[in-house]
Amino acid sequence: MFDLRFEIDTSPTTARTRFVKRKEEVGDPRPVEVFDDIWLPAFQRYREEHSSGVEVDITIKNG
C-alpha cells in the first residue's frame, strides 16, 4: 500500500488554452468566458483551501 501525495501544477493560461481547444474540438457552444467566470475562480478557491501548506511527495509540472 502506498501513501503518496501528488500535485499537478498547471498554469491558468495553459488550462484556458486547453479549454478553448477542447471546446472547439467537441463543438461546445458555451462562451469562452465560462472559463474566466466559473472555472478560474473555482480553481483559485480550491488551491487556497487545499493546496497551500500541504506537503506533497511529487509535483508534476504540466504545461
Side-chain angles (χ1 to χ4, degrees), residues 21-47:
K21 183 177 178 183
R22 279 192 304 270
K23 179 180 145 12
E24 292 170 355
E25 287 175 354
V26 299
D28 186 344
R30 296 177 298 169
V32 176
E33 289 75 27
V34 165
F35 181 90
D36 301 321
D37 297 341
I38 297 172
W39 186 91
L40 187 56
F43 172 72
Q44 291 170 331
R45 187 170 43 251
Y46 174 83
R47 288 194 74 175

Side-chain angles (χ1 to χ4, degrees), residues 7-16 18 34-52 60 62:
E7 180 176 276
I8 299 175
D9 184 14
T10 302
S11 74
T13 303
T14 298
R16 188 178 197 282
R18 291 176 178 168
V34 165
F35 181 90
D36 301 321
D37 297 341
I38 297 172
W39 186 91
L40 187 56
F43 172 72
Q44 291 170 331
R45 187 170 43 251
Y46 174 83
R47 288 194 74 175
E48 289 171 5
E49 293 174 5
H50 299 286
S51 295
S52 59
I60 300 169
N62 188 7

